[in-house]
Structure formats: C-alpha cells, structure tokens
Amino acid sequence: MRLPTPTGPHRTGVTTLCLVDRSRRDPWDPAIPVRELMITVFYPARTVHGFSVAPQMTTGAAKSFNGIDVHVHRLPSSGVNWAATATHSYANAPAQAVRRPVVLYGPGGGDPRTLGTGIAEELASHGYVVVTIDHPGDGSEVEFPHTTAYRHEKVRETVFRGDPRTDADQFRTMIEARIGDTRFVLDQLAVLAAGRNPDATGRAVPEDLGRALDLRRVGIYGHSAGGTAAAEAMYEDRRIHAAVNMEGYLDHTPETPGKVGQLFPVARYGVDRPLLLLGSEGFDGKEADQQALELSWAAMLTHQRGRTRRRQVGHAMHWVFTDYAVMAPQLQAAGLMSAADRVGLVGTIDPDTSVAEVRHHVLSFFARNLPACCRHPQ
C-alpha cells in the first residue's frame, strides 16, 4: 500500500519519542501509576542523505492492527502486509535549524496516530513541525520501545470493545485524557526546545530538532474524538492559537439516551481563536449521532466572535480524513475490499480528489492563521 506523496518543497524527517507524565496515573489501567505516551514528530529535514525511509507502522503495531482495526473497519484479514507501507520521511534525519510553527494531531477514538501520516507529511513538507499523538488505552495499538515493571508487553492495545460515544463515562474519560495528554506534550516540547531530551528512554533526538520548534506558533488538528479534543484543548490552553476539528462532536454523550448532551465549554461559550469545523457529506453515525453533531456544531457557529468556519467534503464518509482515504480504494482495486465497504469507510469520492481537498482545507487554514513563512534562522 502507498501513501500520497507530499507536495511541499521540503524533504521530511521523522522521529518517535516516548514521554512519561509522572504527575498523572493512567486513566484506563489502574495498575499503571504514570501516564505513558508515544508521539511521532515530522519536520523539514536539512538533509536525508544516508538516512532510511521510515515505515508507517512498527512491526508490533502492525500485527495488532491486523487483529483490531481490520475487524472494526471491515478491512481484509489477509493479503496485506500492514508493516510494509513506507512513509516519505527519513528516520532521525537532521532538522533544519529554523524555528517553525508546531502543529499537534490527535487521531479518532480507538484509532492509532499512524493513520494520520499523510496529512502530517504534507504539512511538514510545507514547513511545519507536526507532532502526532497516540493515547494508550484508547488508541487501537501503541508500541513502546520496551516493557516496564507495570506494563509487561511492548504493544498496548485498546480497552474499547465498542463505540466509546455510546458510554457517557467512557467518552468523558477519553476526551479528558486526550486534553491532558495534549497539554503534557506541549510541556515536553518546551523541554526539547530548551535543548534537553524529553524521551523517557534517553534515546537521542535528531540533530537540531529542538531548534526547529517555535512554540509561540502552535496549532492543533484532529479527527473525530481527536477533533473534539483539539477544539476543547484550544479553549482551555492559551498556548494553542488555531484548531481544526475534523468531524468531532462538541457535546458530551447524554447521560440518558434520547436526551441532548451537555456542550463542551468551547461550544457553549465560543473561542477567540480560529477554529475550522471540517465535515463529510455522508457522516455515517446513527440519526441521533448526526443530530448531536449538527446541534453542537450549530451552537459553536452562533458565537459572534467570527473566528469559526465550517467546510464540507462532498461524496465522502467519516474516515476520509485519515489514510484510509487512499488505502480503501487501493484495497478495492486489488480485489481485497468490496465497493460497499470502501464506500462505508471513505465514500465514493476519488482518492486523488479527497486527498487534495482535505490537504487544501487543512494546509490553507494553517497557512492563514499559523503561517510557516516567518522564518528565523538560528
């Protein structure tokens, strides 16, 4: 399987970091006394000579992906080597020593950060440092560099056994954990920008990566639950200056079925920074879910500060904002996925069109509100 080629002028590097927040317990597993995270950082590289292209997924994560995500999304259980898909970014290549805007990415509920590789590489190729965040216990599979005394496997799999949106407590925990994770990642990026290494295992970071971070210009985008958390994290954290919510609810799951869920503060009170609500024409939730999304987004748009905009991708379904946009059509063309399953996942839209359209919406939003052109060589 192939990911779309980035269109920007920069070759990109990539690295992973293991972060440990010792001030928080894990929200999903009471046996884990700290909050462990894995992040991937994509960035404009100074050179890629002598460095190897990184895979989209690690071997361990790909093995779990084949047992979890394949089942959830009706992907083929055989015929695909999920560990073989390559990115266009070079592992641990030196970064350009130029301060650049930093953009965080949160995947959908129960999804891994690796499904956001295409947009992350596109942004990095246009001069952004992009940090994709996994939320262990929530994300389908997260591979760590090693085991610990309290985590006996390198790969940690999701605790979800259904749609977390159907469980009010689970949904609340998911979003609160994601917002806490986001704030901690920003804290650790400040450590990196100050010239120190935040990786909990002590692995070396790419040369000049810390010097590439301009934490005065921070944005965030996310898909589904990641979009919910992105919007609310911007409301709660003044370090974040612009956000894209790709089809995430802005209300809580109602405590009583059939009732209206409580709005998140960002939708209840509005926000004074730019927010893009990016949806698909064929959002595939149940009727009650569709109504909840519409009501919460409508509430967001009523605020008079004028910084929230809504856009829509036609002939598309919910996962068109992920790498499934190109994966599903390739699987269908190879005879490994039915047309109905492809349409249910990403819609009828042609992958060249969907990739270009989603890239345009996200990149143009950050170009307007978090421009990468203001460069300060170090």
Side-chain angles (χ1 to χ4, degrees):
M1 297 239 275
R2 296 176 180 173
L3 297 174
T5 303
T7 66
H10 302 287
R11 303 295 289 274
T12 56
V14 63
T15 195
T16 60
L17 297 175
C18 177
L19 307 178
V20 177
D21 184 353
R22 302 190 183 281
S23 70
R24 291 188 297 153
R25 298 188 67 88
D26 189 88
W28 303 110
D29 187 343
I32 300 180
V34 296
R35 180 59 171 163
E36 300 177 293
L37 300 175
M38 288 298 297
I39 66 172
T40 297
V41 186
F42 298 88
Y43 52 90
R46 185 174 74 245
T47 179
V48 298
H49 182 69
F51 293 86
S52 300
V53 172
Q56 180 191 25
M57 301 181 197
T58 62
T59 302
K63 183 178 179 180
S64 290
F65 183 94
N66 194 52
I68 299 172
D69 303 75
V70 161
H71 171 72
V72 171
H73 297 300
R74 296 185 179 181
L75 304 172
S77 57
S78 62
V80 181
N81 180 357
W82 298 102
T85 302
T87 68
H88 301 88
S89 301
Y90 292 78
N92 300 309
Q96 296 177 16
V98 178
R99 297 288 185 192
R100 299 187 180 280
V102 176
V103 182
L104 311 181
Y105 168 72
D111 284 344
R113 72 190 191 278
T114 49
L115 285 179
T117 298
I119 297 178
E121 289 193 307
E122 175 71 357
L123 287 169
S125 78
H126 284 274
Y128 293 86
V129 175
V130 184
V131 181
T132 66
I133 307 171
D134 257 336
H135 305 280
D138 166 346
S140 52
E141 63 280 326
V142 182
E143 183 165 13
F144 291 92
H146 54 69
T147 60
T148 69
Y150 44 79
R151 179 179 41 76
H152 305 299
E153 303 290 339
K154 287 180 64 177
V155 178
R156 185 173 171 191
E157 297 184 349
T158 183
V159 303
F160 297 160
R161 294 297 178 265
D163 181 358
R165 176 69 185 180
T166 62
D167 184 316
D169 290 337
Q170 196 172 67
F171 185 78
R172 181 181 297 103
T173 299
M174 176 176 66
I175 302 303
E176 289 177 352
R178 285 164 170 258
I179 293 171
D181 292 346
T182 298
R183 300 181 77 134
F184 178 68
V185 168
L186 282 174
D187 293 341
Q188 297 307 292
L189 292 177
V191 171
L192 181 58
R196 303 191 300 277
N197 183 358
D199 186 86
T201 66
R203 294 176 301 171
V205 297
E207 184 179 349
D208 288 329
L209 181 59
R211 299 175 71 191
L213 306 175
D214 185 352
L215 296 177
R216 300 166 300 177
R217 294 182 287 161
V218 174
I220 188 170
Y221 68 108
H223 172 239
S224 198
T228 304
E232 185 61 22
M234 182 172 72
Y235 176 84
E236 296 183 17
D237 196 323
R238 299 294 305 185
R239 292 176 293 180
I240 302 174
H241 301 289
V244 180
N245 172 3
M246 298 185 290
E247 213 152 65
Y249 300 97
L250 292 178
D251 68 334
H252 289 276
T253 298
E255 297 287 346
T256 304
K259 300 293 184 180
V260 176
Q262 183 181 27
L263 293 174
F264 280 94
V266 66
R268 199 181 318 151
Y269 304 116
V271 69
D272 60 354
R273 279 149 287 158
L275 172 64
L276 174 63
L277 304 177
L278 184 57
S280 66
E281 181 181 5
F283 176 68
D284 60 343
K286 300 175 184 177
E287 184 176 352
D289 295 332
Q290 294 174 333
Q291 291 176 349
L293 184 77
E294 287 298 325
L295 288 172
S296 66
W297 281 24
M300 186 75 235
L301 289 163
T302 61
H303 298 289
Q304 299 302 311
R305 302 191 211 189
R307 307 304 300 276
T308 301
R309 297 289 182 270
R310 180 175 183 172
R311 299 291 183 267
Q312 181 171 284
V313 179
H315 308 289
M317 298 291 275
H318 185 59
W319 274 274
V320 76
F321 304 110
T322 72
D323 293 335
Y324 287 137
V326 291
M327 287 179 165
Q330 289 178 65
L331 293 170
Q332 182 188 359
L336 295 171
M337 190 176 196
S338 71
D341 286 343
R342 173 258 178 97
V343 170
L345 194 62
V346 299
T348 59
I349 188 170
D350 180 82
D352 290 341
T353 302
S354 68
V355 168
E357 191 169 342
V358 173
R359 281 176 166 181
H360 169 74
H361 285 303
V362 176
L363 181 59
S364 62
F365 173 82
F366 285 123
R368 288 192 305 273
N369 298 296
L370 208 70
C373 62
C374 307
R375 301 172 181 173
H376 309 286
Q378 302 296 303

